[in-house]
DNA sequence: ACACTACTTTAGAATCATTATAAATTAGAA
DNA sequence: TTCTAATTTATAATGATTCTAAAGTAGTGT
């Protein structure tokens, strides 16, 4: 039904069998237009509310990490308290509102290309992440 | 003796009484020429080795956090596992070697000034942090 | 030097996110 | 349908960090 086939393909290509729990997670993560920033805790709460069943944390962790490994989700390190994930896997940066702990995408064109003038012998750059912390203006 | 007076001043200005435990921590953190990146766990181990006494974790956390609040240490969020601190409190960015988990300073001149072309109404920028992840080149 | 009070230290308990475990359930191939 | 390996789940384990409450110490005022 509907675009489940897309989700099934996403799961299969991540090495996961499509199960109803995982399809619920897919629906929640990938059936949306805007970027979605979330923690595992967020996801768990929303899933419980939307489906009226509880999907165990272990399943959610497992699924999210498989998607991350496959590249369907990006992990964003902000603080030690929680790990954030981002459904926008393109190259982009973030604002972090330190008053609300909200993450906001910066589009590619919002930040000039970063040039690093130093390199480490034997090492290559894997990613460049910019985090712009913002606070109330008063 | 020696430059303890500097440490005492650092402690006092951070709202802390100088105690022998805190002075040991100061010596370890601030009596060095190069930047020092560490976790609380690192610090604890080194302190035990250097002083042959154990300073309790609670004391180390308390002291490090007071220094951070005062601005004598910077906290760097890399992943949820551990929190890193940096004795270099100037404006600078970091390499993270994902093979070894080592942090390496980027000097100010190693990265072009970052210009953010978007602003959020009612918010002002508090900091801009760049993390360049590097990996083995093979 | 002494006493007193507030600040510190400490070990251990509590917390919280995340990971591991092991038994019951389910997907999918034969 | 049957069978086996993958999955789900509740719960336990882990590990970093924070809390607690009792014992120790700094430093002011005397």
């Amino acid at each position: 039904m509907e675009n489940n086939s897309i989700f099934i393909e996403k799961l299969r290509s991540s090495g996961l069998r499509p199960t109803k729990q995982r399809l619920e997670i897919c629906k929640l993560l990938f059936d949306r237009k805007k970027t979605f920033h979330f923690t595992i805790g967020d996801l768990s709460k929303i899933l419980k509310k939307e489906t009226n069943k509880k999907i165990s944390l272990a399943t959610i962790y497992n699924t999210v990490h498989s998607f991350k490994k496959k590249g369907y989700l990006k992990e964003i390190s902000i603080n030690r308290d929680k790990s954030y994930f981002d459904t926008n896997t393109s190259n982009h940066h973030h604002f972090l509102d330190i008053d609300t702990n909200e993450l906001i995408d910066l589009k590619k064109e919002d930040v000039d290309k970063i040039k690093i003038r130093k390199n480490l012998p034997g090492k290559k750059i894997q990613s460049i992440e910019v985090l712009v912390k913002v606070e109330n203006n008063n």
Side-chain angles (χ1 to χ4, degrees), chain A residues 3 7 14 16 24 36 44 46 51 63 70-71 89 95 136:
Chain A
N3 46 11
F7 300 152
S14 304
L16 299 176
E24 290 292 354
F36 180 37
S44 174
I46 301 172
T51 66
T63 305
K70 179 64 182 178
T89 57
F95 279 125
N136 282 335

Side-chain angles (χ1 to χ4, degrees), chain A residues 39 61 77-84 101:
Chain A
T39 65
Y61 273 101
S77 298
I78 285 168
N79 57 41
R80 62 223 147 293
D81 305 335
K82 293 166 173 186
S83 211
Y84 284 78
N101 252 328

Side-chain angles (χ1 to χ4, degrees), chain A residues 12-69:
Chain A
R12 285 244 141 83
S13 62
S14 304
L16 299 176
R17 285 186 181 169
T19 63
K20 51 183 179 327
Q21 291 90 340
R22 288 175 176 160
L23 285 169
E24 290 292 354
I25 294 173
C26 279
K27 207 175 299 171
L28 224 156
L29 293 183
F30 303 121
D31 194 11
R32 48 177 77 227
K33 291 179 189 114
K34 283 191 196 162
T35 290
F36 180 37
H37 296 126
F38 64 93
T39 65
I40 300 286
D42 296 337
L43 200 49
S44 174
K45 267 186 232 143
I46 301 172
L47 281 165
K48 199 185 306 179
K49 191 180 284 179
E50 301 268 313
T51 66
N52 287 318
K53 310 160 206 159
K54 59 183 156 217
I55 297 180
S56 88
L57 274 178
T59 299
I60 301 175
Y61 273 101
N62 157 338
T63 305
V64 165
H65 281 129
S66 296
F67 282 146
K68 182 201 163 184
K69 192 181 298 176

Side-chain angles (χ1 to χ4, degrees), chain A residues 53-133:
Chain A
K53 310 160 206 159
K54 59 183 156 217
I55 297 180
S56 88
L57 274 178
T59 299
I60 301 175
Y61 273 101
N62 157 338
T63 305
V64 165
H65 281 129
S66 296
F67 282 146
K68 182 201 163 184
K69 192 181 298 176
K70 179 64 182 178
Y72 292 145
L73 290 174
K74 226 177 173 181
E75 190 168 9
I76 306 168
S77 298
I78 285 168
N79 57 41
R80 62 223 147 293
D81 305 335
K82 293 166 173 186
S83 211
Y84 284 78
F85 292 88
D86 189 344
T87 56
N88 178 353
T89 57
S90 73
N91 231 318
H92 68 290
H93 303 297
H94 295 94
F95 279 125
L96 172 66
D97 186 328
I98 59 179
D99 298 313
T100 65
N101 252 328
E102 191 190 3
L103 264 184
I104 298 147
D105 276 355
L106 274 162
K107 295 204 195 79
K108 204 170 185 172
E109 57 270 26
D110 292 332
V111 183
D112 285 340
K113 193 157 185 292
I114 314 278
K115 192 190 216 162
I116 307 297
R117 300 190 187 289
K118 178 181 184 176
N119 56 356
L120 300 175
K123 301 285 175 181
K124 64 165 182 270
I125 291 175
Q126 184 235 42
S127 69
I128 298 178
E129 298 166 18
V130 180
L131 185 65
V132 182
K133 294 187 180 168

